[in-house]
């Protein structure tokens, strides 16, 4: 919550600045989303569309619907210039934008991920040769990996992405404190690297799945906290020592309830290879992943009802696909999609908890009573 409020302040400050610049230049931002979308669609070039969105972005989940318009325009320039391997690199960079915000809470994170993708598309349109180089496996040269943790990172593609993201945000945060004392942040990062090797049990190789999962979750929590520190540093002129304090602050009750523990899997399936639109939405939101895990545990905890549960689950998935808008661009579902799925998952968890404990002759009608909580959905 504190990170969201900080980013709100940053965006409000930027909005004031941009509108001041707009007034000076004679340009103005559209007053409605429909008008902004129309102007983005009629922009003549990738650059002009991106500049318009940069100036007039809403700083909310609405940007996830504006960004694809710009990206599509840029990709008309990108696609003819990139080889298959170059496009794969470009696609991975687009997904990293979504990954950066995977554990963040609030609509600002959706906007940040969407605008990051626009920046990536603009860069690829201007400098396609940069994407012809292979996507690195980690933030360091895996050919020179020496420590157990380095070798573990290089052995796992998902860990490599987490390492790349942590390294990027760390470097950006250091840059934000350029000209000031960065020693507290540097020292804290070194200590964190030592502590995490012990807490995740990197005492032998090859690393086990639990160790890799622990390290990945720890990296995600770390780069999410540091990203919030980076935003606050830009707005509030923090010293790096204050940044370190903020990263170690205990979350308030609301944040703690929304954040999964390090040992909690991201979802009941592999989020590195989602196979459906629903899985993409679930993997984009840490809370949705928790609910999916809880739902899977409930299904497995009632073997006597397996047949009824499996049949009902297939019908429920069809209900969700018809009820919730599951489309996503670059792995970033909009706010309504996430809210709809969250309401559906919360309702389904309560349903399974009560239905399987009731009389067997009432189980099937109970399990197949699909609905959303409209009150909850309105609050998303």
């Amino acid at each position: 919550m504190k990170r969201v409020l900080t980013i709100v302040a940053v965006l409000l400050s930027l909005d004031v600045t941009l509108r001041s610049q707009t007034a000076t230049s004679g340009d103005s931002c559209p007053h409605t989303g429909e008008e902004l979308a129309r102007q983005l669609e009629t922009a003549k070039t990738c650059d002009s569309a991106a500049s318009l969105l940069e100036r007039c972005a809403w700083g909310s989940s609405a940007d996830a619907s504006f960004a694809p318009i710009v990206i599509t325009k840029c990709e008309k320039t990108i696609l003819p210039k990139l080889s298959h391997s170059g496009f794969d690199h470009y696609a991975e960079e687009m997904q990293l934008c979504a990954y950066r915000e995977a554990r963040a809470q609030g609509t600002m994170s959706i906007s940040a991920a969407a605008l990051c993708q626009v920046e990536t598309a603009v860069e690829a349109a201007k400098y396609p040769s940069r994407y012809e180089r292979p996507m690195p496996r980690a933030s360091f040269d895996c050919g020179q990996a020496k420590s157990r943790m380095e070798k573990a990172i290089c052995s796992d593609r998902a860990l490599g992405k987490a390492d790349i993201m942590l390294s990027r945000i760390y470097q950006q945060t250091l840059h934000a404190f350029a000209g000031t004392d960065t020693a507290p942040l540097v020292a804290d990062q070194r200590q964190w690297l030592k502590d995490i090797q012990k807490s995740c049990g990197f005492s032998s190789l090859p690393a086990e799945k639990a160790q890799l999962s622990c390290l990945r979750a720890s990296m995600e929590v770390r780069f999410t906290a540091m990203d919030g520190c980076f935003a606050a540093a830009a707005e509030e002129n923090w010293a790096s020592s204050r940044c370190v304090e903020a990263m170690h602050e205990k979350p308030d009750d609301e944040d703690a309830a929304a954040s999964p523990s390090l040992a909690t899997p991201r979802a009941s399936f592999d989020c590195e290879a989602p196979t459906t639109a629903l899985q993409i939405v679930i993997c984009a939101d840490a809370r949705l992943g928790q609910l999916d895990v809880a739902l899977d545990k409930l299904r497995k905890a009632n073997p006597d009802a397996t047949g009824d549960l499996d049949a009902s689950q297939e019908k429920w998935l069809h209900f969700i696909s018809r009820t919730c808008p599951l489309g996503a661009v670059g792995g970033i579902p909009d706010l309504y999609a996430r809210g709809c799925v969250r309401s559906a998952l919360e309702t389904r968890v309560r349903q399974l908890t009560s239905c399987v404990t009731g009389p067997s002759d009432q189980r099937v009608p109970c399990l197949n009573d699909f609905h959303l909580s409209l009150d909850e959905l309105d609050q998303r």
Side-chain angles (χ1 to χ4, degrees):
M1 179 60 69
K2 293 177 181 177
R3 177 180 183 275
V4 172
L5 292 175
T6 297
I7 297 177
V8 169
V10 172
L11 288 168
L12 288 175
S13 174
L14 288 174
D15 183 62
V16 170
T17 302
L18 289 171
R19 290 185 185 279
S20 174
Q21 294 172 346
T22 296
T24 302
S25 64
D27 295 328
S28 61
C29 289
H31 294 292
T32 66
E34 291 80 4
E35 178 61 18
L36 176 56
R38 188 191 68 78
Q39 290 191 22
L40 290 171
E41 288 170 352
T42 57
K44 294 183 178 180
T45 66
C46 165
D47 277 348
S48 60
S51 296
L52 174 61
L53 183 56
E54 180 182 5
R55 188 175 74 247
C56 300
W58 285 24
S60 70
S61 60
D63 292 332
S65 62
F66 301 140
I69 302 173
V70 183
I71 292 169
T72 299
K73 195 177 294 289
C74 294
E75 287 184 346
K76 290 180 180 178
T77 302
I78 298 169
L79 298 180
K81 298 179 181 178
L82 289 178
S83 65
H84 288 299
S85 60
F87 184 80
D88 288 344
H89 186 168
Y90 164 72
E92 285 192 79
E93 287 289 352
M94 294 290 272
Q95 288 298 327
L96 283 178
C97 287
Y99 183 43
R100 180 171 184 153
E101 307 296 332
R103 285 181 177 262
Q105 303 293 323
T107 65
M108 293 295 173
S109 64
I110 302 175
S111 172
L115 296 180
C116 170
Q117 288 197 324
V118 170
E119 291 179 10
T120 301
V122 170
E123 181 188 52
K126 288 182 178 179
Y127 311 106
S129 61
R130 293 180 182 178
Y131 293 84
E132 295 300 340
R133 296 191 292 268
M135 183 78 177
R137 289 191 62 85
S139 67
F140 52 89
D141 182 0
C142 281
Q144 302 296 319
K146 295 180 180 179
S147 70
R148 290 188 175 94
M149 191 165 81
E150 287 178 342
K151 292 179 180 178
I153 290 171
C154 292
S155 72
D156 186 275
R157 194 71 179 175
L159 259 181
K161 290 181 180 179
D163 176 69
I164 289 171
M165 187 52 59
L166 176 58
S167 176
R168 288 182 181 180
I169 296 176
Y170 175 60
Q171 293 301 324
Q172 289 173 355
T173 306
L174 280 178
H175 182 72
F177 294 114
T180 66
D181 182 14
T182 60
L185 181 60
V186 173
D188 187 70
Q189 183 70 358
R190 288 174 178 170
Q191 187 61 50
W192 177 84
L193 288 169
K194 292 180 181 179
D195 293 342
I196 209 63
Q197 292 185 65
K198 294 180 181 178
S199 61
C200 288
F202 280 91
S203 58
S204 61
L205 283 174
E208 297 180 356
K209 187 174 181 179
Q211 294 171 308
L212 300 178
S213 178
C214 173
L215 180 55
R216 180 184 177 187
S218 299
M219 285 182 167
E220 291 173 351
V221 169
R222 178 70 172 179
F223 73 61
T224 301
M226 192 174 294
D227 203 16
C229 169
F230 168 67
E235 169 62 16
E236 301 180 28
N237 198 29
W238 279 5
S240 66
S241 57
R242 176 68 187 94
C243 175
V244 171
E245 291 173 4
M247 287 193 291
H248 290 279
E249 285 176 357
K250 184 178 179 181
D252 56 35
D253 292 340
E254 180 181 351
D255 288 340
S259 300
S261 68
L262 296 183
T264 303
R266 183 179 295 277
S268 66
F269 51 88
D270 183 6
C271 276
E272 287 305 305
T275 58
T276 67
L278 177 59
Q279 289 185 354
I280 290 174
V281 175
I282 289 173
C283 291
D285 189 305
R287 174 57 180 162
L288 297 185
Q290 287 182 279
L291 288 168
D292 176 70
V293 170
L295 182 60
D296 186 61
K297 287 181 179 178
L298 282 170
R299 292 171 59 199
K300 293 178 178 177
N302 295 277
D304 294 340
T306 298
D308 292 338
L309 285 170
D310 288 347
S312 175
Q313 187 70 3
E314 184 175 349
K315 295 177 182 178
W316 180 77
L317 290 172
H318 183 62
F319 164 76
I320 295 301
S321 66
R322 289 187 292 106
T323 305
C324 295
L326 300 180
V329 176
I332 310 176
D334 65 25
L335 179 64
Y336 185 82
R338 291 163 71 171
C340 183
V341 171
R342 178 169 177 174
S343 177
L345 285 168
E346 289 175 342
T347 302
R348 185 66 170 168
V349 166
R350 290 195 295 268
Q351 186 181 46
L352 260 64
T353 301
S354 60
C355 291
V356 295
T357 58
S360 58
D361 61 336
Q362 298 178 16
R363 181 185 299 151
V364 172
C366 180
L367 288 172
N368 292 338
D369 179 22
F370 307 130
H371 62 279
L372 300 179
S373 173
L374 296 181
D375 290 339
E376 291 175 356
L377 188 56
D378 288 341
Q379 296 172 8
R380 301 302 173 205

